[in-house]
Each structure stands twice: as C-alpha cells, then as structure tokens.
Amino acid sequence: MRTVEEQLATITAAAVTPEPVRVAISEALGLRCAEQVEGTEHFPGFDQAAIDGYAVRCVDIRQALDPTPVDGEPSEGADSSDDQPARRTALPIVGEVTAGSHRPVRLQPRQCVRVHAGAPLPTLADAVLPLDWAETQGRRIIPQELLQPGEFVHRKGSDVQPGDVVVEQGSVIGAAQVGLLAGVGRSKVLVYPRPRMAVMAFGQELIDIDREPSLGKIYDVNSYALTAAGREAGAEVHRLGIVGGEPRRMKDIIEGQLIRSEVVVITGAVGGTASEELREVLAELGELEITRVAMHPGSVMGFGTLGADKVPTFLLPANPSAALVAFEVMVRPLIQLIRGQRQSNRRVVQARTIASIESAPHRRGFIRGQLMRDRDTGDFLVDPLGAADGGEPTHLLGSHGRANCLIVVPVDVAHIAPGSVVDVMFLTNRA
C-alpha cells in the first residue's frame, strides 16, 4: 500500500505542460503568461487630469492665497488699503478641456482651465484644483486650498514607461494584468492554455440523467460531478459521459481523447470483473497500475501514462463521494501543477472539532466538514459531516454538498475526541 505522498509523487512526475498559445487579452484571465511583456510606450501617454477640477499653476494658487502683494503692488481683483495688504484672490477661467480632446491648450500665468477627469493637461499647468477646493464666482474661481506640483495629475508614463515589465513570464494573469496589457496596446498575449481534461464514466449499471432508471440502473453522477470539479480546478473539461460497448470502440474513444487532452479521468473502472475488459483496453495504450493508497475514502485507484504523449490517466472509484475525494487529493494538484500554479494544494488551517471523528485505521482520512469561525475568539471550528459518532457514513454524497472543507486525519489516528485540534483543508468557497 502506498502513502498519499508516494502516489502524489508518481502522479506529479507525469505532468505534461501544454504548448503556449496566443490569445486575446479578454480570454487570458486566470492563465499563466508564457512571455515577458514590456511596455513600448508611455502609459498614460500624456499628463492627464486625475479628477474633475481646474488646471492651474501651483505658483498662482500660492499667490492667490498669500496676503503679501507681489512686487509691492496690489493684486488684480483685490481690495487695497493702508491697514490691509492687497492679495490675489481670483483666477479667471479661460477655457474647458474634456476627456479625449485633441485641441492643444496653453495655460497663461494667473489663469485656470476647467478640465474633466482623463483630459490632457494644458501646457504649463502642473496640478488640478478639485472643484470643491474652489469658490466659483461667474467665470472666475477663488482657490481655498494650497496645491503641490503633480497633485491630482496622472503624469505621462506614471504607470508604465518604455522598457518596463508589464507582465512577468510565469505569472498568472489577473484583472490588473489585463488592464495593463490593454494600457500598452497589446491585444493578444502568449499564455499556457488551460489543461484539457476528458472525463468519462464506465459501468453497466449507468444511464444518463435524461432516461428513466429501471431496476438495477442508476444515474451517471460521477461524470457530471468530476467535470464540474475539473472546471473549478481550472481545466478545460470535455465530458464524454458513459463509455461502453465493444473493446475496439472503447479503445478508439479513449485514444481519441488521449490525442487532445493533458489529463484523462475514467470513473467506475477501478475493481471487479466488470472492469477487466476496460483495463485490458487501457493496457494496449500504455502503462496503468491499480494501486491501494493509504487514504479513506477512495483508497483504490488507478493511474498511468497512456498514448504516444504519455498522458496522465486516472481510474477513480465508482462511489461519487470517494471519486470526488480522490479527485481533490490526487487529480486537482496535477491540474494546478500543469497550470503553473506555485501552490498546487489547497490552503490548510487548524480548527477545533465540535464532534468526535472516526476514521479508517492505518489510512489518512479525508472527512467532510463545515468550517466556521468563533465570533468571540475568531478561532476556526469544524463540524464533521461524515465518520462522526451518529453521523452519516463517509460514502454518502449528500453531506459532500454541504461541506466546505475536508478534515485531514493522520494515518495513525482512528479516533478524534470533541475539542481536539485538527488540520482542515479548504474546499471551494461558497456564499
């Protein structure tokens, strides 16, 4: 019997990274960049107003608020008397510039120009006075606050200058990276595509969900559940549904998927005489081994590399809950590795269990649970949904739908008392 780590090492060693492709930046979100993208021009390409306001020279604002006359002469528009010095109190509004304007404007001393957010800054202007920092009197403003050069201005090249690295090779493209690519005029980018994963189910008892099950028949749950799990993990998944029929036909179907996939998952074909025919077909396509792994549920699984490209291929249990746990523990890390994620495993935290847990002896348990936080202390608490005293059996799928985590029970522990601290692995966040 292999340990979980030994089986994972075998699986991850078989990772096949897809060849990079060039895609539109609108389709690049979440993909790993396969090139280093550098800016070729300034972004923004000109000094622009960051907010709606007035384009001004800071020296004019200081003079307007300074009670000392300039050169000993009274300021324009200000009162003058023996006991009160003159001061510049108003600046005339000599124009308006809107976003997208192509008309060059030059600001003269002791003047201002009304500007809109995103508009090019007039020549000689070095700041934008916010609307609520000025008192308006017809076509003149009286500044109320001092400004520093560059305030409320997006300087030319303040985001990106020629030669700056916009997106690093190997980084995952997020919303900000998409925006930067657009900002430097890149419509396409070289990325590693999402791993292509094929999912199929095997079993004489299976029927698709659009049919009425007769005695001895059950719905194909696994191919739908594993397809969803693959997409949530970041793969591009093709669900073939139920695979059966003559061996030659099954071989053709599987071989066709090996040509176009980086990962193949077949569920319901692990053990029993009914699956021997399928395993004989797979043996013609490459090396695949049925293995017992020291984990529960999903301890029996198959893995190998098939086809000319040595595509990682999994055989997972027929039980839906066991198949999902096996996918989470074994298949998902491979998908993350192929995608180039630095962290291939889920986040693990420590939590205090509020109920007892029973786990299969000599196997690492992956017990479904609901993770929550104590309002007073902020500590994590976890409520086991399977393998607890009086709880549901671990093989049932119903509690899996309510779970937001897996409680990880060490291989040498069979019983955990309430109040004990356990490792908990996050599953997909649910609102």
Side-chain angles (χ1 to χ4, degrees):
M1 182 178 291
R2 288 181 181 170
T3 66
V4 171
E5 288 78 12
E6 288 171 343
Q7 183 71 356
L8 269 174
T10 300
I11 290 169
T12 55
V16 178
T17 303
E19 290 296 320
V21 295
R22 196 167 296 279
V23 301
I25 61 172
S26 58
E27 303 298 323
L29 185 67
L31 299 180
R32 186 164 55 103
C33 190
E35 63 174 324
Q36 178 170 288
V37 181
E38 297 180 358
T40 57
E41 298 180 357
H42 292 91
F43 174 56
F46 52 88
D47 291 347
Q48 60 180 200
I51 60 172
D52 289 350
Y54 300 97
V56 296
R57 300 191 318 157
C58 289
V59 63
D60 293 334
I61 300 299
R62 288 196 300 272
Q63 291 174 355
L65 296 175
D66 189 348
T68 303
V70 177
D71 298 330
E73 296 294 332
S75 302
E76 180 184 352
D79 295 331
S80 178
S81 64
D82 294 339
D83 56 355
Q84 181 174 352
R87 60 183 298 178
R88 284 182 213 279
T89 59
L91 300 176
I93 304 171
V94 297
E96 182 173 6
V97 182
T98 59
S101 173
H102 297 287
R103 181 174 60 88
V105 175
R106 183 180 179 88
L107 183 66
Q108 300 297 326
R110 297 183 295 280
Q111 295 179 347
C112 69
V113 173
R114 174 73 166 88
V115 291
H116 295 249
L121 212 62
T123 304
L124 297 186
D126 58 6
V128 174
L129 186 71
L131 295 177
D132 56 358
W133 286 17
E135 178 185 333
T136 305
Q137 294 183 347
R139 295 293 298 169
R140 302 165 71 87
I141 64 167
I142 300 176
Q144 305 296 309
E145 301 284 347
L146 284 172
L147 281 173
Q148 297 297 322
E151 275 198 271
F152 305 108
V153 174
H154 291 318
R155 289 295 190 190
K156 177 181 179 179
S158 56
D159 270 341
V160 179
Q161 296 189 9
D164 285 353
V165 176
V166 176
V167 181
E168 293 183 356
Q169 184 176 3
S171 63
V172 177
I173 297 176
Q177 286 75 25
V178 171
L180 283 168
L181 289 168
V184 298
R186 287 289 296 267
S187 62
K188 294 187 177 182
V189 63
L190 193 67
V191 297
Y192 293 103
R194 301 183 189 279
R196 297 166 298 177
M197 185 175 91
V199 175
M200 57 195 86
F202 179 84
Q204 299 298 323
E205 76 282 11
L206 299 177
I207 62 169
D208 207 353
I209 58 177
D210 59 355
R211 296 176 57 189
E212 189 71 24
S214 59
L215 182 63
K217 298 292 185 180
I218 60 174
Y219 288 129
D220 166 27
V221 173
N222 284 4
S223 72
Y224 287 96
L226 294 173
T227 294
R231 287 173 179 161
E232 188 274 324
E236 179 184 315
V237 188
H238 176 52
R239 190 190 72 85
L240 281 81
I242 304 167
V243 176
E246 295 295 324
R248 182 180 297 275
R249 178 177 178 274
M250 287 194 295
K251 180 182 178 182
D252 289 343
I253 292 174
I254 297 170
E255 199 166 23
Q257 296 308 308
L258 292 171
I259 295 173
R260 59 178 63 95
S261 304
E262 281 76 47
V263 181
V264 172
V265 174
I266 305 173
T267 176
V270 175
T273 56
S275 62
E276 287 181 2
E277 192 173 69
L278 176 61
R279 294 201 299 273
E280 290 174 1
V281 169
L282 297 177
E284 298 178 21
L285 298 173
E287 297 181 0
L288 190 143
E289 179 185 12
I290 305 296
T291 309
R292 295 190 70 86
V293 181
M295 61 178 284
H296 178 75
S299 61
V300 181
M301 66 183 66
F303 177 76
T305 54
L306 306 183
D309 294 328
K310 303 293 184 181
V311 177
T313 302
F314 293 85
L315 297 187
L316 299 186
N319 175 267
S321 186
L324 282 173
V325 170
F327 182 95
E328 184 68 34
V329 177
M330 298 296 173
V331 185
R332 189 180 188 278
L334 177 67
I335 292 174
Q336 299 305 303
L337 184 64
I338 294 174
R339 291 182 62 205
Q341 298 290 89
R342 295 182 177 91
Q343 178 60 42
S344 62
N345 297 320
R346 297 277 200 181
R347 180 188 173 195
V348 175
V349 298
Q350 288 193 320
R352 193 174 302 278
T353 178
I354 63 176
S356 63
I357 301 172
E358 304 295 334
S359 184
H362 311 301
R363 298 181 190 177
R364 183 178 301 177
F366 293 92
I367 311 302
R368 300 176 299 281
Q370 285 185 333
L371 188 65
M372 61 199 85
R373 300 201 83 148
D374 188 299
R375 291 184 178 180
D376 296 328
T377 66
D379 294 339
F380 283 110
L381 302 175
V382 65
D383 182 14
L385 299 177
D389 290 343
E392 297 178 352
T394 58
H395 66 275
L396 296 184
L397 186 61
S399 60
H400 216 124
R402 303 196 304 273
N404 62 4
C405 69
L406 290 176
I407 303 167
V408 183
V409 182
V411 69
D412 57 349
V413 175
H415 172 80
I416 296 178
S420 301
V421 175
V422 294
D423 287 337
V424 174
M425 182 170 65
F426 279 79
L427 294 179
T428 305
N429 292 329
R430 296 183 175 90

